[in-house]
């Protein structure tokens, strides 16, 4: 049973336009959400995160939106650049109380930004 | 500064053989995680080490899998009697710690691609 779902395996966007990557989760205990970016043959790189007490977090061209009632988050990249082409993983964890804070990942969305 | 390193980068082994995968976390990081990514899947949590505490082994898929962390630093993941379904990329991550109420971002190594023939 997948607790974090990325329903779009791939996405193509023109350079300069907005990329929107979506993620849904089912576990209401999750209170911290992250996006990782992964290039081939490399480990995932942390991109941006959001706590469940917020509904938006922005860092440069990257903005993450969280809709707790819908158990949905999205990553917006504006403007998209060819170097953004990678696989993007949505991840979630439970950070309240003691625990391992392990990450639960979605299957990833492959973003292709076309020059 | 050095990031998380893993060795070997690639490992091909015959079914039934044992393999050891190594992870060197970022210096000073007390928390260490192992994940694996099978083809077409997301990353799957395997095991977590935090300082001298007992590890969280809840993600290990079978008793053929084990891991150690010596001296609070280097970790080895051992898979005994490998099976073809063990073929995956095994990723190690480290973070500053996992104290209750506090947590820090996980930094990943490049992974070890394991192929069981």
């Amino acid at each position: 049973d997948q607790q974090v779902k990325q329903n779009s395996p791939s996405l193509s966007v023109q350079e300069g336009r907005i990329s929107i990557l979506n993620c849904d989760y089912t576990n209401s205990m999750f209170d911290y959400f992250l996006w990782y970016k992964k290039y081939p043959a490399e480990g995932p790189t942390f991109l941006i995160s959001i706590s469940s007490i917020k509904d938006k977090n922005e860092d440069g061209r990257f903005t993450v939106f969280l809709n707790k009632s819908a158990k949905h988050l999205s990553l917006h990249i504006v403007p998209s650049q060819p170097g953004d082409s990678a696989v993007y993983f949505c991840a979630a964890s439970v950070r309240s109380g003691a625990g391992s804070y392990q990450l639960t990942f979605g299957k990833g969305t492959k973003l292709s930004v076309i020059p | 500064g050095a990031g998380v390193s893993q060795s070997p980068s690639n490992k091909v082994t015959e079914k039934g053989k044992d393999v050891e995968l190594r992870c060197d976390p970022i210096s000073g990081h007390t928390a260490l995680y192992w994940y694996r990514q099978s083809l077409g899947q997301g990353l799957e949590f395997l095991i977590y080490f935090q300082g001298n505490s007992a590890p969280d082994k809840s993600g290990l898929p079978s008793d053929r899998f084990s891991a150690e962390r010596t001296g609070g630093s280097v970790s080895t993941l051992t898979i005994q009697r490998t099976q073809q379904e063990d073929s995956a990329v095994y990723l190690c991550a480290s973070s500053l710690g996992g104290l209750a109420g506090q947590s820090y971002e996980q930094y990943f190594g490049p992974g070890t691609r394991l192929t069981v023939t």
Side-chain angles (χ1 to χ4, degrees), chain B residues 55-88:
Chain B
D56 175 357
K57 303 179 182 180
S58 60
L60 294 179
S62 79
D63 58 8
R64 296 185 294 104
F65 288 72
S66 62
E68 288 185 340
R69 189 177 185 193
T70 53
S73 180
V74 171
S75 176
T76 55
L77 177 70
T78 302
I79 309 173
Q80 295 178 311
R81 305 181 302 281
T82 52
Q83 303 294 313
Q84 288 186 330
E85 63 261 28
D86 300 334
S87 297

Side-chain angles (χ1 to χ4, degrees), chain A residues 1 8 22 24 30 38 51 71 73 84-85 94 114:
Chain A
D1 180 32
S8 297
N22 292 303
D24 297 291
F30 288 143
K38 186 179 183 304
S51 163
K71 294 191 175 69
L73 63 154
D84 297 330
S85 297
V94 179
I114 304 163

